[in-house]
Amino acid sequence: MRSNNFITSPRQGKKIKRNKEFVSIVLLSENHGYRMKSYGPVSLIKLEDSKTLIEKQINTILATFENFEIVLCVGFEAVKIVSFVREKFKNINIRIVENQVHYNSNCCESIRLCLANITNNKVIICGGGVLIYPSQFSSLDFSESMIIVQNQIDDSNFEVGVIPTTNNKVNRLSLGVKTKYWAEILFLHNQESIDYLLRIVSNTDYKNKFMFEALNELVKNFEIKIQQNLSNKPIIKIDNIKTLRKTTKI
C-alpha cells in the first residue's frame, strides 16, 4: 500500500471526491519532444510555478485517485528521470520500466513493456507529454473503458481525430479526422481488453506503430466510450517549443 502523503496539496476551487478503486496509471515518458532534445526529458521540463510536467501529472493523480500505482516508462535520458522520481516521490507507488530501444521503436513497444508489468484490471494509459489538471480528470466517468477527446484547440498539439459510432463509441481513429481530437488518454476497465491490447502490441508488426493504430485493432472487439473534455481548460500535449511556451502562460 502506498502512503497518502501529498508532495504538494493540489489547489482546488472545491473539494474533489477521489476515486477509491485501485487503478494502474501508465505514463509514457520515453521520448523527447520534437526538436527539443536539448531541453532534456519532457517529463522534467519546468512549467508554470517552476514545477516539472511529471510533478503536475502526479499531483493530478493524487487529487483524483485514493488507491493507485504509477508505471512510468522511460527511455531518453532515463537516469535523469529515475533520479528525480526517486528523490521527489519517495512515498508514492511508482514503478519504472525502461524502453532501451526507444530510438528504434514507438509507443506501442513502451505500452507492451508496461502492460507486461501490470496485474491490475483497471488501467489508464497516458502520453508522457500530456498536461492534465484535477478539474479535468475528476469529472471523467471511469465506469467503462473510454478515451478522452476535445474539440480543436489552437496549439493543443493533438493530431488524431475520432470517428464515432451511432452510440458514441470509437469506430476508428485517424490522422485525417478534424473533429473529436484524442487527448492521448485511454482507460481500460476489464482484464479481457487489457490482455487483448497486450497481444496486439506484442506483435512485432507494432513495434514501430503509434498507440492509435493499436486502438483501431482493439475497437474491433471491444467497445471504447468517447468521453468529451468538458472542462473550461483544454488538455495540452507538450511535444514542441510552441506548446511549451503556451503552457508557461496558463
Side-chain angles (χ1 to χ4, degrees):
M1 293 293 292
R2 66 172 183 86
S3 167
N4 285 328
N5 293 333
F6 281 72
I7 299 303
T8 58
S9 298
R11 295 181 180 179
Q12 304 297 329
K14 61 180 180 179
K15 187 175 181 179
I16 290 175
K17 184 177 181 181
R18 292 190 291 165
N19 190 307
K20 295 183 179 181
E21 294 185 277
F22 182 69
V23 178
S24 301
I25 302 161
V26 173
L27 297 177
L28 301 174
S29 304
E30 73 278 30
N31 292 318
H32 56 79
Y34 178 67
R35 293 185 177 178
M36 291 178 65
K37 194 172 182 180
S38 62
Y39 285 75
V42 172
S43 294
L44 301 185
I45 289 176
K46 289 188 177 181
L47 306 177
E48 72 272 27
D49 301 328
S50 296
K51 295 188 183 300
T52 63
L53 174 58
I54 195 167
E55 285 179 272
K56 289 184 170 294
Q57 290 172 326
I58 291 177
N59 280 338
T60 291
I61 293 168
L62 284 166
T64 309
F65 300 100
E66 286 190 10
N67 193 17
F68 64 86
E69 65 176 353
I70 297 173
V71 181
L72 175 63
C73 186
V74 299
F76 175 67
E77 296 192 359
V79 173
K80 286 185 179 180
I81 301 177
V82 171
S83 298
F84 182 85
V85 167
R86 285 179 177 173
E87 176 64 27
K88 194 75 176 180
F89 305 114
K90 294 177 181 178
N91 298 320
I92 307 300
N93 187 5
I94 301 177
R95 187 162 65 257
I96 297 176
V97 175
E98 183 179 1
N99 180 356
Q100 294 182 327
V101 294
H102 65 280
Y103 280 122
N104 299 307
S105 63
N106 216 316
C107 53
C108 280
E109 173 64 8
S110 297
I111 293 169
R112 181 188 71 81
L113 292 169
C114 291
L115 291 183
N117 280 273
I118 292 174
T119 58
N120 187 27
N121 62 0
K122 290 178 176 57
V123 175
I124 295 173
I125 301 176
C126 181
V130 175
L131 175 60
I132 190 166
Y133 290 87
S135 61
Q136 300 161 333
F137 231 29
S138 61
S139 63
L140 300 176
D141 178 12
F142 290 100
S143 64
E144 58 183 309
S145 297
M146 66 173 183
I147 63 171
I148 303 175
V149 302
Q150 63 185 13
N151 297 329
Q152 174 65 10
I153 305 293
D154 289 342
D155 303 330
S156 63
N157 208 25
F158 296 113
E159 299 176 334
V160 177
V162 181
I163 301 172
T165 65
T166 54
N167 61 342
N168 200 41
K169 308 295 183 181
V170 178
N171 180 27
R172 186 168 181 81
L173 298 95
S174 175
L175 286 167
V177 178
K178 301 299 182 181
T179 59
K180 296 185 183 296
Y181 279 82
W182 178 41
E184 295 189 8
I185 300 172
L186 165 71
F187 173 62
L188 295 180
H189 189 258
N190 57 70
Q191 193 63 54
E192 291 77 12
S193 60
I194 294 168
D195 290 343
Y196 195 80
L197 179 58
L198 178 57
R199 287 199 294 273
I200 293 170
V201 296
S202 295
N203 188 318
T204 54
D205 291 341
Y206 279 82
K207 185 172 289 291
N208 290 296
K209 291 190 177 183
F210 295 98
M211 180 162 47
F212 82 89
E213 295 177 282
L215 288 186
N216 279 337
E217 190 65 29
L218 180 67
V219 296
K220 293 179 181 179
N221 291 278
F222 294 91
E223 287 192 340
I224 307 293
K225 177 184 175 181
I226 299 171
Q227 175 84 37
Q228 184 77 27
N229 172 29
L230 299 176
S231 170
N232 59 3
K233 183 175 289 188
I235 301 170
I236 294 174
K237 176 184 176 184
I238 302 170
D239 196 36
N240 57 36
I241 300 299
K242 196 173 184 179
T243 50
L244 174 60
R245 290 172 178 168
K246 180 179 176 65
T247 56
T248 60
K249 298 177 182 178
I250 293 176

